[in-house]
Amino acid sequence: MTAPVFVVDSLPSGGLPGGRYVLDGPEGRHAVSVKRLRPGEDVVLTDGRGRWSEGVVEAAEGKDRLVVAGLEGVHEEPPEQPRVTVVQALPKGDRGELAVETMTEVGVDAIVPWAASRCITQWKGDRGLKALGKWRATAREAGKQSRRVRFPDVADAATSKQVASLLAGAAFAAVLHESGEEPLAAAELPASGDIVLVVGPEGGVSPEELALFAQAGAKPYRLGRSVLRTSTAGTAATAVLLARTGRWS
């Protein structure tokens, strides 16, 4: 799928009335004024939840209206298996958005912000809601850029106990940590179900958190000889998992 992707509120399974859709607002402005799409060019409309339809630009009107035709069929992309969730400790600055962006581009299915004990950044009150909104907006934009039609879910910020509960229900649970004796690239992975991977903060995963996660069934694994930043470790690990599970075949 190489045509540019734009997000709409919904795509009915029976198709769009008359096979046409007027893309306006921020998405229409991006299509007309930024992408400068013209009649005859292919586009994909998606709801970001797996449904998509491919059409052709019929007209570009003003600065923010794109008329798309040929949308008779609506397709649905099934969820990938196994499903990969990354529990991402809150990094400082804008590194969280970088992590979300690159993990989305690689193909992660869900991201859980984690308020680890050693996190420098804390999400509280309005500041936390604003930061969460940025993560979700970043996942949406990165999903469009990478031509995805099923964007990753970005959950509410989780406590360590909530992360442990998530790990306990996974088909495969792992914590990226230098104490791991086994490399992630050699781990035995399931063909289906949930793979949940924990990425710690700049200060590392605390011994208490490691113990809590071990009780939930999550072993420590290492990626390689070097230690990656918290903002890049999840992306590298997801790539390893997707290649080994056959999702990149």
Side-chain angles (χ1 to χ4, degrees):
M1 185 183 301
T2 58
V5 173
F6 298 94
V7 182
V8 298
D9 290 335
S10 63
L11 283 174
S13 57
L16 293 162
R20 297 173 78 252
Y21 189 90
V22 177
L23 192 68
D24 53 14
E27 290 291 274
R29 187 175 304 110
H30 184 72
V32 175
S33 300
V34 179
K35 301 292 288 186
R36 297 186 180 277
L37 296 179
R38 296 294 178 262
E41 295 189 73
D42 294 332
V43 296
V44 170
L45 303 185
T46 181
D47 61 3
R49 298 182 294 277
R51 286 187 177 176
W52 62 279
S53 184
E54 189 167 17
V56 179
V57 176
E58 183 178 274
E61 301 173 349
K63 296 182 178 180
D64 61 357
R65 283 173 57 88
L66 194 78
V67 182
V68 184
L71 298 165
E72 285 80 9
V74 173
H75 312 277
E76 184 150 5
E77 181 180 284
E80 296 274 13
Q81 288 290 333
R83 176 181 164 89
V84 178
T85 296
V86 174
V87 176
Q88 174 66 59
L90 306 178
K92 58 186 178 182
D94 60 359
R95 291 189 177 276
E97 291 152 57
L98 172 63
V100 171
E101 179 180 56
T102 54
M103 285 192 288
T104 299
E105 292 171 359
V106 167
V108 75
D109 301 293
I111 300 168
V112 179
W114 171 36
S117 63
R118 293 179 175 174
C119 282
I120 298 171
T121 297
Q122 297 294 326
W123 285 5
K124 295 180 180 179
D126 291 342
R127 179 183 177 185
L129 292 175
K130 183 178 179 180
L132 179 60
K134 285 184 177 180
W135 279 35
R136 287 174 172 164
T138 298
R140 171 187 167 113
E141 292 306 308
K144 289 165 52 181
Q145 187 277 331
S146 54
R147 307 294 199 263
R148 291 182 63 169
V149 295
R150 186 178 290 277
F151 302 162
D153 298 319
V154 179
D156 293 338
T159 64
S160 295
K161 287 185 178 180
Q162 289 171 326
V163 171
S165 178
L166 183 65
L167 294 168
F172 175 81
V175 181
L176 289 184
H177 197 266
E178 61 268 21
S179 67
E181 298 180 358
E182 185 178 351
L184 188 64
E188 185 175 346
L189 301 175
S192 60
D194 291 326
I195 292 176
V196 182
L197 182 72
V198 177
V199 177
E202 287 90 349
V205 182
S206 72
E208 294 78 15
E209 289 163 341
L210 277 175
L212 178 65
F213 297 160
Q215 290 176 359
K219 286 176 52 179
Y221 289 86
R222 54 184 170 81
L223 268 177
R225 296 179 180 178
S226 59
V227 176
L228 277 67
R229 287 182 180 271
T230 183
S231 54
T232 55
T235 301
T238 298
V240 170
L241 294 171
L242 294 183
R244 295 200 56 240
T245 57
R247 282 180 49 177
W248 275 6
S249 299

